[in-house]
Amino acid sequence: PEASLRGFWGLKDAFDPKGLLNPAKVLPERDKLQTPEPSLLPEGSFRAVAPRLARTEGGASFPYDAEAAAKLLALASREHTGVLLRGKGSKLGETADTPVISTTAMNRVLDVNAENMTVSVEAGLSWSDLQAAVREHGQVVPLWPPHGDQATVGGVVATDGSGPHRLLHGTCRDLVLGMRFALPGGEVAQVGGRCVKNVSGYALDKLKIGSHGSLGCIVEVTFRTRPLPERVLTLCLAPSTGDGTAAVKKLGTRVVASHLIPSAFEALSA
């Protein structure tokens, strides 16, 4: 898509304005990229026009699709108004008078490909509903982020939530295969894909992970999945005497050096 290609050039310009790094890297010639059509936006302020594009409530707008989210961002950009991108707000405090764009109305499961072990969903889907959708196929997205019962998919990715199981399965960067996101210029870009092996320019999806909404509004995400384990065993140990910290460190070293492959290892203090 043109929006993604322009994003590649923007990233190249930001980090290598003189074009000196890796000159063999193939990017489309700039003059072959089409100039984006200007967004046809209604006249009026963001707060006045937002109800025409999305459901609004209490200063927040709830677009139903990626295109509406992009138009809301373009409206805000036109009048130089800052906006707060939010899912369910499990990691946010008070928003004061800042306009809010919430993704929670974009909450569909788009595709569960059990054979290829991938799942594509909209960003406003709750994390628990994502897990329920893949669990029906005997699979799981192996991330257990903080506040996972309250968080949305987009919120987890935007904050790079993971949890203790990253010891075995990694973080969002290891499990996200692709995404779509809305941009302040009114465009919707797509990077990555819905298959495990895909190479298409710079990994802009990885750049979005942990960006806290500062680089666009995530509207769709594709994850790789894993088979549900046949059995889960949790072992809790507590040092009875002596230096507890030293005992925990010794235990961790022995476990890592053994044939065991733990999915999580946590040390707690009283």
Side-chain angles (χ1 to χ4, degrees):
E2 295 285 325
S4 301
L5 297 178
R6 280 190 289 275
F8 295 157
W9 268 114
L11 191 63
K12 180 71 171 176
D13 289 340
F15 287 92
D16 182 24
K18 295 184 179 181
L20 302 178
L21 304 177
N22 195 5
K25 180 66 179 178
V26 178
L27 286 175
E29 296 180 19
R30 290 178 191 266
D31 55 7
K32 292 184 179 180
L33 293 178
Q34 298 179 2
T35 302
E37 294 292 334
S39 299
L40 299 177
L41 301 174
E43 292 298 324
S45 68
F46 178 89
R47 294 184 185 276
V49 176
R52 307 183 207 174
L53 300 173
R55 178 173 64 86
T56 57
E57 180 181 337
S61 301
F62 301 83
Y64 290 101
D65 57 37
E67 288 69 27
K71 287 183 178 180
L72 287 170
L73 289 177
L75 275 172
S77 178
R78 183 177 69 182
E79 62 182 50
H80 305 287
T81 297
V83 294
L84 180 67
L85 303 178
R86 188 185 72 186
K88 291 187 176 179
S90 60
K91 297 179 176 65
L92 294 174
E94 295 296 326
T95 60
D97 295 327
T98 304
V100 172
I101 298 177
S102 173
T103 61
T104 52
M106 296 182 284
N107 53 22
R108 296 178 300 162
V109 177
L110 301 173
D111 179 60
V112 179
N113 191 325
E115 182 178 353
N116 288 324
M117 302 188 71
T118 65
V119 58
S120 299
V121 299
E122 290 183 321
L125 185 73
S126 70
W127 191 257
S128 57
D129 285 346
L130 163 65
Q131 296 289 30
V134 296
R135 193 177 299 116
E136 294 179 1
H137 299 269
Q139 298 177 6
V140 66
V141 179
L143 289 173
W144 285 267
H147 312 292
D149 56 334
Q150 306 170 34
T152 61
V153 169
V156 170
V157 174
T159 59
D160 196 15
S162 54
H165 289 77
R166 61 182 176 270
L167 175 66
L168 177 62
H169 300 291
T171 64
C172 282
R173 290 181 56 85
D174 304 291
L175 297 170
V176 170
L177 297 174
M179 66 173 66
R180 295 178 72 217
F181 47 90
L183 295 168
E187 295 182 283
V188 178
Q190 179 172 334
V191 291
R194 292 189 177 184
C195 57
V196 174
K197 292 185 178 181
N198 63 79
V199 179
S200 55
Y202 298 127
L204 294 183
D205 51 339
K206 309 303 183 188
L207 188 64
K208 303 289 182 182
I209 296 171
S211 64
H212 290 257
S214 61
L215 300 175
C217 179
I218 299 171
V219 295
E220 180 184 322
V221 186
T222 296
F223 296 94
R224 68 175 76 225
T225 62
R226 294 285 186 264
L228 273 172
E230 295 182 3
R231 185 182 179 191
V232 176
L233 176 65
T234 301
L235 181 63
C236 298
L237 301 174
S240 57
T241 59
D243 185 352
T245 301
V248 169
K249 288 183 178 179
K250 183 177 180 180
L251 173 63
T253 301
R254 293 184 62 183
V255 169
V256 171
S258 73
H259 68 282
L260 299 174
I261 306 177
S263 62
F265 192 100
E266 288 191 280
L268 305 177
S269 60

